[in-house]
Amino acid sequence: MGSSKLIGIVLLVVGIALLFFGYQSTQSVGDQLTETVTGRFTDKTMWYLVGGAAAAAAGAFLTFLKK
């Protein structure tokens, strides 16, 4: 297994974990209230979701597409 494939797997796992924590955060009472009042989730939640999506995409690319 090459080093780029190993890094891809790690990024994929970290990205999925961040997405999970971001999703859990969106379901919290405080975040639901903030989203209702402002129309947006908190900055912390958005960083979890955006960072998780970026890490998962990069990990998937390195794991499955890069030769």
Side-chain angles (χ1 to χ4, degrees), residues 4-23:
S4 66
K5 193 166 276 223
L6 183 62
I7 291 170
I9 291 170
V10 170
L11 278 173
L12 188 59
V13 170
V14 168
I16 290 170
L18 285 174
L19 284 171
F20 174 75
F21 288 128
Y23 174 74

